[in-house]
Amino acid sequence: MYRIGEFSKIIKLTVKTLRFYDETGLLKPSFVDKFTGYRYYEMEQLFTAQQIIALRQADFSIDEIRHILSGKDVSDMLEIKEPELKREKAEAEEKLNRFSAIKKFYSEEQTMNYQAILKQMSEHIVYYKRFKVHVFSEYGTVIPAIGAEIVAANPDLKCAEPNFCYVEYLEGEYKENDFNVEYAEAVDKIGKETETIKFKILPAALVACVMHKGSYEGLRKGYIYLMNWLKENGYLPAGNAREQYIDGCWNKESEDEYITEIQIPVIKA
């Protein structure tokens, strides 16, 4: 027999851990001296201890290990455990990819202007209008006119809080001239439609995003960065790209102060 200290050195488990395994019934000593309280272990228990270590290193819990050591059928438990571990592995790999992107951002001394994130967008009621845009500068007149038209038809309609309005590129790609878009704004209820402005429910979605500061003409760089980020991190577009306008011509005098969030609905590849 081995005293607990000797057994600890052989199996490379701390005495504290062995005492814990004793208290939880996972690995009880073969003999305990009733006068000294010394715990003693038999050579055969080295194999049990090694089995426990292997199971712990595979992320099995104490209760799960106790169930396995009891000799009961563990096939169902193993079927459940495997996908859990695979999910944890995938999550760890995804975190590593995001870490690499952040490391690249800071290692380049802030020369990159974008950092991508994933965001879960909730379901919204929106009014929307589809139209063709020749140049970005048209937004300054077209979008306020859409707002005025919907307010005239629905005087009691209120915008959602926080405010959420966007332009979606209906052709599935970013263009700077002659492109079809859908402009939409989130509101508190479905209201009265006009000839050109309709209502719908925008479903919840996972989106990849980057913030762009500056004129709309500079958005291309943000799109290029975000598409590269999707590829590097194992995501696929699951819908058309859209732009959420946070600050713009309605509250900023200079285009340099415009803030736009580029959003692309995504799924894991």
Side-chain angles (χ1 to χ4, degrees):
M1 285 190 177
Y2 301 100
R3 285 178 57 174
I4 190 171
E6 297 172 306
F7 193 80
S8 168
K9 292 177 182 177
I10 295 171
I11 199 61
K12 302 302 182 184
L13 285 173
T14 66
V15 170
K16 182 179 179 181
T17 299
L18 287 171
R19 287 173 178 162
F20 173 71
Y21 287 168
D22 180 11
E23 293 167 1
T24 57
L26 199 61
L27 179 61
K28 300 191 74 66
S30 176
F31 170 74
V32 179
D33 190 311
K34 64 180 179 180
F35 298 106
T36 64
Y38 291 157
R39 296 172 171 89
Y40 291 87
Y41 295 83
E42 295 180 354
M43 182 180 296
E44 288 77 8
Q45 289 183 289
L46 290 170
F47 297 96
T48 304
Q50 193 171 53
Q51 186 179 6
I52 293 170
I53 293 171
L55 291 167
R56 289 296 287 159
Q57 290 177 349
D59 200 40
F60 284 88
S61 69
I62 296 298
D63 287 339
E64 289 171 335
I65 295 173
R66 187 184 295 110
H67 185 78
I68 292 172
L69 295 180
S70 70
K72 297 178 182 178
D73 182 21
V74 297
S75 56
D76 289 345
M77 183 175 65
L78 296 177
E79 287 297 320
I80 294 173
K81 193 69 178 178
E82 184 175 13
E84 288 180 357
L85 293 174
K86 287 182 177 178
R87 185 184 66 252
E88 290 173 5
K89 178 183 178 182
E91 290 174 353
E93 289 176 346
E94 186 167 334
K95 288 179 182 178
L96 183 59
N97 287 336
R98 296 190 199 179
F99 172 81
S100 297
I102 291 172
K103 181 179 179 182
K104 182 179 180 181
F105 176 85
Y106 286 104
S107 66
E108 294 186 0
E109 300 180 350
Q110 310 300 309
T111 57
M112 287 180 18
N113 296 319
Y114 303 107
Q115 277 191 300
I117 65 169
L118 292 171
K119 183 162 59 175
Q120 184 64 49
M121 301 295 292
S122 59
E123 180 181 275
H124 287 87
I125 297 172
V126 299
Y127 70 79
Y128 67 97
K129 180 176 181 177
R130 295 180 173 181
F131 56 96
K132 188 168 188 174
V133 177
H134 300 290
V135 291
F136 285 117
S137 59
E138 292 179 358
Y139 285 157
T141 56
V142 174
I143 291 177
I146 295 173
E149 182 179 343
I150 201 66
V151 168
N154 300 270
D156 62 338
L157 194 65
K158 296 180 180 179
C159 293
E161 293 186 3
N163 180 264
F164 175 56
C165 62
Y166 67 86
V167 160
E168 178 179 322
Y169 290 88
L170 300 177
E171 294 162 349
E173 61 178 326
Y174 173 81
K175 295 172 67 176
E176 295 182 347
N177 300 99
D178 298 323
F179 49 92
N180 292 300
V181 300
E182 174 183 288
Y183 171 78
E185 183 163 4
V187 289
D188 64 338
K189 63 181 180 180
I190 293 178
K192 180 182 178 182
E193 297 182 340
T194 71
E195 185 176 344
T196 60
I197 302 176
K198 309 299 178 183
F199 286 85
K200 68 177 179 179
I201 296 178
L202 183 70
L206 178 67
V207 298
C209 317
V210 292
M211 288 285 188
H212 171 81
K213 186 173 183 180
S215 70
Y216 300 137
E217 282 75 10
L219 285 167
R220 174 179 289 276
K221 292 180 180 179
Y223 278 97
I224 293 173
Y225 172 85
L226 190 53
M227 291 304 296
N228 287 334
W229 187 91
L230 295 186
K231 183 178 180 180
E232 292 170 0
N233 288 270
Y235 285 91
L236 296 173
N240 292 330
R242 63 193 185 209
E243 297 163 5
Q244 180 181 356
Y245 303 111
I246 298 170
D247 287 326
C249 60
W250 59 92
N251 65 343
K252 298 296 181 181
E253 294 183 0
S254 171
E255 290 185 344
D256 293 339
E257 297 180 325
Y258 290 1
I259 296 179
T260 306
E261 184 175 68
I262 303 171
Q263 301 175 351
I264 300 178
V266 295
I267 57 173
K268 194 67 178 173

